[in-house]
Amino acid sequence: MKTSQITKEIHTTTMDDDEYAKLIRRMNPPRVVIDNNASDDATVIQVDSVNKHGTLLEVVQVLTDMNLVIKKAYISSDGGWFMDVFKVIDQDGNKIRDTQVLDYIQKRIESNAGWFIPPLRSSVGVMPTDEYTSIELAGTDRPGLLSEVSAVLTDLHCNVVNAEIWTHNTRAAAVIHVTDNSTHSAITDPIRLSTIKELLCNVVRTNSGSRAAKTVFSCSDTHRERRLHQIMFDDRDYEGVKRARTSASRPSVTLMNIEKDYTVVTMRSKDRPKLVFDVVCTLTDMQYVVFHGMVSTEPVEAYQEFYIRHVDGLPINSEAEQERVIQCLEAAIERRASEIVHMKHTFRV
């Protein structure tokens, strides 16, 4: 067979773009290098992989889940290749010395960075996982809301395996994992699920005003804290925030376009755990791609700078879109600084 015929055969195969992207990633798996000698005060983690939307979030998510603090980061993902360098420390401010922990970090990043992150869901199912049933709530925050939700679940013989509740700008969001109190397995009976949904809807609907309250069962395996960001984003908790623009306690977010290439997002805020994750998570779910970036944290203030474009390849062009991005990033930074409630094995009857 002639070369031209071979080429024609290749181009006429049924492999779609997604399959081709997976093939490229399998041929070029992520490479992670961890170095404890490159910096005097931090462990340096370098990640190289094929570039795809969401790679940065996957890597940051692993570091965040390991309770590592990102002191500095340098991001470059122009073209088809992604390269990040992170300087991290543990919660006590020390380098990571445990070789088992270092090996685990490397394997997690190489595994997670090689696969596509599911996009923001437009709908949810009613199928629980095998271990538990996941309940997602969204509504107006008010005194007594948590107690009423707890009472409903207790009356319905649900055991709360774990839960996390965020409040921001008068809105509340929760992801609650429950099991049947007697079998300690996921609740699958559709009639019982319908009853749980109806009663919880009644609780979160109270005093909701013009905002709709939501109670859904989810079969999603999306990272829980990412889901909370998505729920509050869907609930538009970033709208109508009244605050003094000169307040020293609030984050500062500015946007600037560099010709027609990128929009530069600059953020200054009080440093805290998981700050980088919250920002990158929001940019990713708003369908923006980080091409270059830098993160630097000091004892008090954190500085983040990202060169971004929308997934369609364009920078932010309208004032309305700029304002929306600023509002959403400010909300992402502030949500975790608001009241957050964690529960585990709390309610049993």
Side-chain angles (χ1 to χ4, degrees), residues 62-262:
V62 171
L63 300 178
T64 300
D65 288 345
M66 295 292 295
N67 291 319
L68 301 180
V69 178
I70 299 174
K71 286 177 61 68
K72 292 184 183 296
Y74 306 94
I75 300 158
S76 178
S77 60
D78 234 342
W81 199 255
F82 167 93
M83 186 183 76
D84 269 10
V85 178
F86 298 91
K87 290 186 176 182
V88 301
I89 54 176
D90 62 21
Q91 295 291 312
D92 297 321
N94 303 316
K95 292 183 179 183
I96 296 85
R97 300 287 188 183
D98 190 318
T99 55
Q100 289 185 331
V101 173
L102 293 174
D103 289 342
Y104 181 75
I105 293 171
Q106 181 172 0
K107 291 177 181 178
R108 277 284 308 276
I109 294 176
E110 288 178 345
S111 173
N112 282 26
W115 299 101
F116 176 74
I117 301 177
L120 180 64
R121 296 175 302 152
S122 59
S123 61
V124 294
V126 293
M127 294 178 60
T129 69
D130 293 336
E131 296 82 14
Y132 53 76
T133 300
S134 182
I135 303 173
E136 298 176 356
L137 305 175
T140 301
D141 184 30
R142 58 181 172 79
L145 177 61
L146 176 58
S147 297
E148 293 180 33
V149 170
S150 304
V152 167
L153 294 175
T154 300
D155 289 344
L156 295 173
H157 305 286
C158 298
N159 170 53
V160 176
V161 179
N162 58 68
E164 189 162 342
I165 301 171
W166 290 9
T167 64
H168 175 250
N169 191 27
T170 75
R171 309 304 295 167
V175 175
I176 306 172
H177 297 160
V178 302
T179 59
D180 178 80
N181 191 58
S182 57
T183 65
H184 301 291
S185 59
I187 301 169
T188 57
D189 178 31
I191 297 177
R192 188 177 178 190
L193 290 173
S194 179
T195 301
I196 293 171
K197 181 174 181 177
E198 180 181 358
L199 293 179
L200 287 178
C201 261
N202 290 337
V203 170
V204 296
R205 187 181 295 121
T206 304
N207 297 325
S208 289
S210 60
R211 295 278 190 97
K214 298 178 183 178
T215 303
V216 297
F217 298 102
S218 172
C219 57
S220 170
D221 59 356
T222 304
H223 189 272
R224 185 173 64 186
E225 293 178 0
R226 187 180 183 194
R227 275 303 299 147
L228 285 163
H229 276 300
Q230 292 174 346
I231 293 168
M232 299 206 86
F233 175 82
D234 280 348
D235 201 35
R236 305 191 310 278
D237 72 313
Y238 53 86
E239 293 182 347
V241 177
K242 296 180 180 180
R243 55 183 170 244
R245 286 285 172 179
T246 57
S247 172
S249 62
R250 60 168 298 275
S252 170
V253 181
T254 59
L255 271 66
M256 178 181 68
N257 278 10
I258 297 182
E259 296 180 349
K260 296 181 179 180
D261 294 328
Y262 303 101

Side-chain angles (χ1 to χ4, degrees), residues 207-349:
N207 297 325
S208 289
S210 60
R211 295 278 190 97
K214 298 178 183 178
T215 303
V216 297
F217 298 102
S218 172
C219 57
S220 170
D221 59 356
T222 304
H223 189 272
R224 185 173 64 186
E225 293 178 0
R226 187 180 183 194
R227 275 303 299 147
L228 285 163
H229 276 300
Q230 292 174 346
I231 293 168
M232 299 206 86
F233 175 82
D234 280 348
D235 201 35
R236 305 191 310 278
D237 72 313
Y238 53 86
E239 293 182 347
V241 177
K242 296 180 180 180
R243 55 183 170 244
R245 286 285 172 179
T246 57
S247 172
S249 62
R250 60 168 298 275
S252 170
V253 181
T254 59
L255 271 66
M256 178 181 68
N257 278 10
I258 297 182
E259 296 180 349
K260 296 181 179 180
D261 294 328
Y262 303 101
T263 296
V264 182
V265 182
T266 303
M267 289 154 285
R268 295 183 183 273
S269 65
K270 182 179 179 181
D271 190 30
R272 60 163 175 78
K274 303 185 179 182
L275 177 63
V276 179
F277 169 82
D278 294 335
V279 169
V280 173
C281 179
T282 299
L283 287 172
T284 302
D285 282 334
M286 292 183 72
Q287 300 299 300
Y288 292 104
V289 179
V290 176
F291 288 88
H292 304 283
M294 188 269 285
V295 174
S296 178
T297 61
E298 300 299 334
V300 177
E301 186 181 66
Y303 175 82
Q304 300 178 75
E305 181 181 88
F306 297 121
Y307 288 63
I308 68 171
R309 294 181 194 145
H310 195 266
V311 289
D312 62 10
L314 299 176
I316 299 172
N317 292 315
S318 71
E319 291 185 9
E321 186 182 1
Q322 286 186 1
E323 181 62 24
R324 182 169 178 265
V325 170
I326 290 173
Q327 289 178 335
C328 291
L329 290 175
E330 288 176 347
I333 293 170
E334 292 175 338
R335 282 174 195 142
R336 204 181 292 272
S338 300
E339 181 182 354
I340 300 177
V341 179
H342 298 265
M343 300 181 290
K344 188 174 182 180
H345 298 295
T346 307
F347 317 115
R348 284 182 177 167
V349 295

